Amino acid sequence: MSTLVLFSDKDFLIKEINKSSTFNEIKIIKDKSELYDLDAINNLVFIYHLNTYEDYHEILEIVKELSISSKFIALRDNTNNIEGCSLLKQGFKAYAHSLSNILILEDIIKTVLNDNIWVYPELMQFLISSIPLKESKKDALLKQITVKELEVLELVSQGLSNSEISKTLDLAEVTIKKYVSSLLKKLHKKDRLSLALYFKNNY
Protein backbone atom coordinates (compact mmCIF):
# COMPACT_ATOMS: atom_id res chain seq x y z
CA MET A 1 0.00 0.00 0.00
CA SER A 2 1.27 3.48 -0.83
CA THR A 3 1.94 6.34 1.56
CA LEU A 4 0.25 9.68 0.90
CA VAL A 5 2.15 12.83 1.77
CA LEU A 6 0.48 16.24 1.61
CA PHE A 7 2.50 19.43 1.78
CA SER A 8 0.04 22.18 2.67
CA ASP A 9 -1.13 24.40 5.52
CA LYS A 10 -4.61 24.79 4.00
CA ASP A 11 -7.14 23.56 6.59
CA PHE A 12 -9.77 22.57 4.02
CA LEU A 13 -7.32 20.50 2.03
CA ILE A 14 -5.90 18.78 5.12
CA LYS A 15 -9.40 17.94 6.32
CA GLU A 16 -10.39 16.45 2.95
CA ILE A 17 -7.19 14.43 2.54
CA ASN A 18 -7.61 12.93 6.01
CA LYS A 19 -10.92 11.43 4.81
CA SER A 20 -9.07 9.22 2.33
CA SER A 21 -9.30 5.48 2.99
CA THR A 22 -6.90 4.53 0.19
CA PHE A 23 -3.67 4.67 2.19
CA ASN A 24 -2.16 2.94 5.21
CA GLU A 25 -0.43 6.15 6.15
CA ILE A 26 -1.13 9.82 5.51
CA LYS A 27 1.54 12.36 6.41
CA ILE A 28 0.82 16.08 6.56
CA ILE A 29 3.87 18.30 6.13
CA LYS A 30 3.87 22.04 6.72
CA ASP A 31 7.60 22.69 7.07
CA LYS A 32 9.65 22.62 3.88
CA SER A 33 12.65 21.22 5.75
CA GLU A 34 10.75 17.93 6.13
CA LEU A 35 10.37 17.49 2.38
CA TYR A 36 13.88 16.16 1.98
CA ASP A 37 13.16 13.24 4.32
CA LEU A 38 10.65 11.81 1.85
CA ASP A 39 13.21 9.94 -0.24
CA ALA A 40 13.20 7.08 2.27
CA ILE A 41 9.49 6.40 1.66
CA ASN A 42 8.63 3.75 -0.92
CA ASN A 43 5.52 3.93 -3.13
CA LEU A 44 5.01 7.57 -2.29
CA VAL A 45 2.12 9.65 -3.60
CA PHE A 46 3.11 13.26 -2.98
CA ILE A 47 0.56 16.07 -3.16
CA TYR A 48 2.18 19.50 -3.20
CA HIS A 49 0.08 22.62 -2.65
CA LEU A 50 1.63 25.44 -4.66
CA ASN A 51 1.16 28.76 -2.88
CA THR A 52 3.66 31.06 -4.55
CA TYR A 53 5.52 31.40 -7.82
CA GLU A 54 8.71 30.30 -6.04
CA ASP A 55 7.00 27.05 -5.00
CA TYR A 56 6.89 25.99 -8.65
CA HIS A 57 10.67 26.04 -8.98
CA GLU A 58 11.21 24.52 -5.56
CA ILE A 59 8.99 21.51 -6.22
CA LEU A 60 10.83 20.80 -9.48
CA GLU A 61 14.08 20.60 -7.51
CA ILE A 62 12.48 18.27 -4.97
CA VAL A 63 11.13 16.03 -7.74
CA LYS A 64 14.66 15.60 -9.09
CA GLU A 65 15.94 14.53 -5.67
CA LEU A 66 13.18 12.13 -4.65
CA SER A 67 12.82 8.48 -5.63
CA ILE A 68 11.67 7.74 -9.17
CA SER A 69 8.88 5.58 -7.71
CA SER A 70 7.18 8.68 -6.33
CA LYS A 71 4.02 9.94 -7.99
CA PHE A 72 3.52 13.71 -7.87
CA ILE A 73 0.29 15.69 -7.80
CA ALA A 74 0.26 19.51 -7.83
CA LEU A 75 -2.58 21.62 -6.46
CA ARG A 76 -2.99 25.38 -6.93
CA ASP A 77 -5.56 27.87 -5.58
CA ASN A 78 -5.75 29.48 -9.00
CA THR A 79 -4.93 26.88 -11.61
CA ASN A 80 -3.11 27.93 -14.76
CA ASN A 81 -3.14 25.88 -17.97
CA ILE A 82 0.42 26.86 -18.90
CA GLU A 83 1.74 25.86 -15.48
CA GLY A 84 -0.28 22.64 -15.64
CA CYS A 85 1.26 21.71 -19.02
CA SER A 86 4.72 22.48 -17.73
CA LEU A 87 4.32 20.32 -14.63
CA LEU A 88 2.99 17.41 -16.68
CA LYS A 89 6.06 17.65 -18.91
CA GLN A 90 8.22 17.57 -15.78
CA GLY A 91 6.71 14.24 -14.75
CA PHE A 92 3.74 15.22 -12.60
CA LYS A 93 0.78 12.86 -12.80
CA ALA A 94 -1.97 15.38 -11.97
CA TYR A 95 -2.68 19.11 -11.68
CA ALA A 96 -5.85 20.32 -9.97
CA HIS A 97 -7.52 23.02 -7.87
CA SER A 98 -6.66 23.05 -4.17
CA LEU A 99 -10.35 23.35 -3.21
CA SER A 100 -11.09 19.91 -4.70
CA ASN A 101 -13.21 17.84 -2.31
CA ILE A 102 -12.39 14.28 -1.25
CA LEU A 103 -14.44 12.75 -4.11
CA ILE A 104 -12.35 14.59 -6.69
CA LEU A 105 -9.13 13.98 -4.77
CA GLU A 106 -9.85 10.24 -4.55
CA ASP A 107 -10.51 10.18 -8.31
CA ILE A 108 -7.18 11.94 -8.89
CA ILE A 109 -5.35 9.57 -6.56
CA LYS A 110 -6.92 6.46 -8.14
CA THR A 111 -5.93 7.69 -11.60
CA VAL A 112 -2.37 8.38 -10.50
CA LEU A 113 -2.01 5.03 -8.72
CA ASN A 114 -3.00 3.37 -12.02
CA ASP A 115 -0.08 5.22 -13.68
CA ASN A 116 -2.41 7.48 -15.66
CA ILE A 117 -2.56 11.26 -15.86
CA TRP A 118 -5.41 13.30 -14.38
CA VAL A 119 -6.26 16.82 -15.58
CA TYR A 120 -9.35 18.99 -15.22
CA PRO A 121 -11.54 19.41 -18.34
CA GLU A 122 -10.33 22.92 -19.22
CA LEU A 123 -6.70 21.80 -19.14
CA MET A 124 -7.54 18.77 -21.27
CA GLN A 125 -9.18 21.06 -23.84
CA PHE A 126 -6.13 23.32 -23.74
CA LEU A 127 -3.78 20.36 -24.29
CA ILE A 128 -5.86 19.06 -27.19
CA SER A 129 -6.16 22.45 -28.87
CA SER A 130 -2.40 23.02 -28.64
CA ILE A 131 -1.63 19.90 -30.70
CA PRO A 132 -1.41 20.56 -34.44
CA LEU A 133 -3.83 18.66 -36.63
CA LYS A 134 -2.45 15.97 -38.90
CA GLU A 135 -3.94 14.80 -42.14
CA SER A 136 -6.70 12.23 -41.67
CA LYS A 137 -5.38 8.68 -41.63
CA LYS A 138 -8.12 6.08 -41.47
CA ASP A 139 -6.31 3.00 -40.23
CA ALA A 140 -7.60 -0.47 -39.42
CA LEU A 141 -8.45 0.54 -35.87
CA LEU A 142 -10.97 3.13 -37.04
CA LYS A 143 -12.92 0.48 -38.93
CA GLN A 144 -13.70 -1.23 -35.63
CA ILE A 145 -15.47 1.82 -34.20
CA THR A 146 -19.26 2.04 -34.43
CA VAL A 147 -21.07 5.26 -35.37
CA LYS A 148 -22.22 5.75 -31.77
CA GLU A 149 -18.73 5.16 -30.42
CA LEU A 150 -17.42 7.73 -32.87
CA GLU A 151 -19.94 10.26 -31.52
CA VAL A 152 -18.76 9.54 -27.99
CA LEU A 153 -15.11 9.77 -29.07
CA GLU A 154 -15.69 13.20 -30.59
CA LEU A 155 -17.31 14.47 -27.39
CA VAL A 156 -14.49 13.00 -25.29
CA SER A 157 -12.07 14.94 -27.51
CA GLN A 158 -13.92 18.13 -26.54
CA GLY A 159 -13.14 17.43 -22.89
CA LEU A 160 -16.70 16.50 -21.88
CA SER A 161 -17.30 14.24 -18.88
CA ASN A 162 -19.40 11.06 -19.09
CA SER A 163 -22.27 12.92 -17.46
CA GLU A 164 -22.11 15.73 -20.02
CA ILE A 165 -21.87 13.26 -22.91
CA SER A 166 -24.90 11.32 -21.62
CA LYS A 167 -26.96 14.53 -21.62
CA THR A 168 -25.74 15.53 -25.07
CA LEU A 169 -26.55 12.14 -26.62
CA ASP A 170 -29.58 11.50 -24.41
CA LEU A 171 -28.17 8.19 -23.21
CA ALA A 172 -27.68 6.74 -19.72
CA GLU A 173 -24.33 7.59 -18.13
CA VAL A 174 -23.62 3.88 -17.60
CA THR A 175 -23.99 3.40 -21.37
CA ILE A 176 -21.46 6.16 -22.01
CA LYS A 177 -19.04 4.47 -19.62
CA LYS A 178 -19.37 1.26 -21.64
CA TYR A 179 -18.69 3.14 -24.89
CA VAL A 180 -15.60 4.82 -23.41
CA SER A 181 -14.31 1.48 -22.07
CA SER A 182 -14.89 -0.09 -25.49
CA LEU A 183 -13.00 2.75 -27.19
CA LEU A 184 -10.06 2.42 -24.79
CA LYS A 185 -9.87 -1.29 -25.57
CA LYS A 186 -10.32 -1.03 -29.35
CA LEU A 187 -7.86 1.83 -29.77
CA HIS A 188 -5.36 0.46 -27.23
CA LYS A 189 -5.40 3.66 -25.16
CA LYS A 190 -4.94 4.09 -21.41
CA ASP A 191 -7.00 7.17 -20.65
CA ARG A 192 -9.40 9.84 -21.95
CA LEU A 193 -6.61 12.23 -22.89
CA SER A 194 -5.08 9.57 -25.15
CA LEU A 195 -8.49 9.04 -26.77
CA ALA A 196 -8.89 12.78 -27.31
CA LEU A 197 -5.47 13.10 -28.92
CA TYR A 198 -6.19 10.08 -31.13
CA PHE A 199 -9.38 11.72 -32.40
CA LYS A 200 -7.56 15.01 -32.91
CA ASN A 201 -4.89 13.34 -35.02
CA ASN A 202 -7.20 11.17 -37.11
CA TYR A 203 -10.23 13.36 -37.91
Side-chain angles (χ1 to χ4, degrees):
M1 186 71 74
S2 299
T3 298
L4 176 65
V5 174
L6 170 67
F7 176 74
S8 178
D9 58 4
K10 196 179 191 75
D11 290 337
F12 170 82
L13 190 52
I14 293 171
K15 181 180 177 182
E16 292 301 300
I17 282 296
N18 277 322
K19 295 177 184 177
S20 175
S21 59
T22 306
F23 299 89
N24 283 340
E25 182 181 15
I26 297 175
K27 294 173 62 73
I28 307 298
I29 293 178
K30 297 182 180 181
D31 187 341
K32 291 183 179 180
S33 64
E34 298 178 63
L35 294 174
Y36 295 93
D37 297 328
L38 299 178
D39 199 35
I41 301 176
N42 293 320
N43 297 319
L44 170 66
V45 175
F46 182 25
I47 300 179
Y48 193 99
H49 179 203
L50 299 159
N51 275 316
T52 66
Y53 177 75
E54 289 73 22
D55 284 343
Y56 170 83
H57 298 286
E58 185 166 36
I59 187 56
L60 293 183
E61 290 302 314
I62 293 168
V63 168
K64 291 177 184 177
E65 294 185 24
L66 293 181
S67 166
I68 195 168
S69 64
S70 302
K71 294 179 171 64
F72 295 93
I73 298 169
L75 303 180
R76 172 76 81 179
D77 290 356
N78 296 299
T79 53
N80 178 293
N81 290 339
I82 300 296
E83 179 179 69
C85 287
S86 178
L87 287 169
L88 293 176
K89 288 179 182 177
Q90 298 290 340
F92 276 72
K93 291 291 187 179
Y95 180 74
H97 199 283
S98 59
L99 285 178
S100 301
N101 62 35
I102 188 57
L103 294 176
I104 296 173
L105 290 169
E106 288 282 27
D107 183 46
I108 294 170
I109 290 166
K110 180 181 177 182
T111 301
V112 166
L113 286 174
N114 286 326
D115 285 323
N116 292 321
I117 292 173
W118 189 100
V119 295
Y120 52 88
E122 292 83 1
L123 179 52
M124 180 182 281
Q125 290 174 356
F126 180 82
L127 287 167
I128 294 168
S129 65
S130 66
I131 303 232
L133 283 168
K134 294 181 180 178
E135 288 186 10
S136 177
K137 41 186 180 182
K138 309 286 184 181
D139 57 25
L141 291 176
L142 295 177
K143 295 177 182 177
Q144 302 177 37
I145 301 174
T146 67
V147 173
K148 191 57 69 174
E149 285 174 339
L150 185 57
E151 290 179 6
V152 172
L153 180 59
E154 181 176 7
L155 294 172
V156 167
S157 77
Q158 295 172 18
L160 272 63
S161 66
N162 286 349
S163 176
E164 291 169 328
I165 294 173
S166 71
K167 292 174 184 175
T168 302
L169 298 180
D170 195 24
L171 294 170
E173 189 170 347
V174 66
T175 303
I176 301 303
K177 287 181 181 178
K178 289 179 181 177
Y179 280 131
V180 172
S181 296
S182 176
L183 286 164
L184 289 169
K185 184 176 180 180
K186 287 181 177 180
L187 299 176
H188 311 295
K189 302 300 178 185
K190 291 200 310 180
D191 51 41
R192 297 173 76 90
L193 179 56
S194 298
L195 285 178
L197 294 177
Y198 183 86
F199 181 86
K200 180 86 171 179
N201 287 328
N202 287 279
Y203 286 91

